[in-house]
Amino acid sequence: MCTPASPPPIPTGTVSSGGITFSWAHIDGELRCRVQAPTTGWVAIGFNEVAGLAGTHLVMGAFVNGEAVVSDRTIVAPGDHRQIEDVGGVSELSQTSGTERDGTTEISFTLPVTTAHAGSHDLRQGTTVHLLLAYSVADEFDHHSRVRRHLTVRL
């Protein structure tokens, strides 16, 4: 269940690839994120300290039946992503929201920049992370992506 949240403040960073845009801001020990893509299906962003899919902290979101659904996940192996609680982690997502308008899906959420929980990564300002950006034409999180990009970004 998502709670309404105001959009993140003016981003301190923005990257785009494959039609997907990720904007972020560091505020009070949190990373406030916005991801949007040209789809009416799900959108996703993943954070990892190393290149590759395994171990990626994945946040997926879709707009289903008039409501935003945002899921905190981890990639166990390529093709196998699970809710973070199912692998012993604890979701620390907050301020989740989403919209679907004019063929574009957008999700917003907040994560702490550091945590000791399994499946999380160092997201402090100035840290270099490997990003996974993706979207699908379907709302179901087990549906394959239409577009997936990998970028190295300094937060």
Side-chain angles (χ1 to χ4, degrees):
M1 176 71 71
C2 298
T3 57
S6 58
I10 296 173
T12 55
T14 299
V15 295
S16 295
S17 183
I20 309 162
T21 300
F22 167 52
S23 302
W24 70 91
H26 286 92
I27 299 174
D28 298 329
E30 297 179 325
L31 183 67
R32 297 189 185 175
C33 304
R34 181 184 303 146
V35 182
Q36 65 181 39
T39 186
T40 56
W42 58 254
V43 298
I45 182 165
F47 304 93
N48 204 335
E49 293 165 356
V50 298
L53 292 175
T56 296
H57 183 181
L58 185 67
V59 178
M60 299 179 79
F63 202 73
V64 181
N65 299 323
E67 184 176 329
V69 177
V70 181
S71 181
D72 200 2
R73 308 179 81 78
T74 189
I75 299 177
V76 177
D80 183 5
H81 56 84
R82 302 178 193 174
Q83 289 187 346
I84 204 152
E85 296 88 352
D86 293 343
V87 293
V90 175
S91 177
E92 293 187 302
L93 281 178
S94 64
Q95 300 180 31
T96 58
S97 65
T99 62
E100 186 177 282
R101 189 177 309 120
D102 300 326
T104 298
T105 297
E106 177 180 295
I107 61 169
S108 297
F109 59 91
T110 300
L111 285 169
V113 295
T114 59
T115 182
H117 296 298
S120 63
H121 297 284
D122 183 354
L123 303 175
R124 289 177 290 181
Q125 190 165 7
T127 300
T128 299
V129 296
H130 296 275
L131 288 182
L132 162 70
L133 299 174
Y135 71 84
S136 175
V137 296
D139 287 333
E140 297 80 22
F141 293 154
D142 61 351
H143 193 273
H144 289 285
S145 60
R146 171 168 274 182
V147 173
R148 185 175 82 193
R149 297 290 190 264
H150 298 267
L151 305 169
T152 303
V153 174
R154 185 174 173 173
L155 296 175

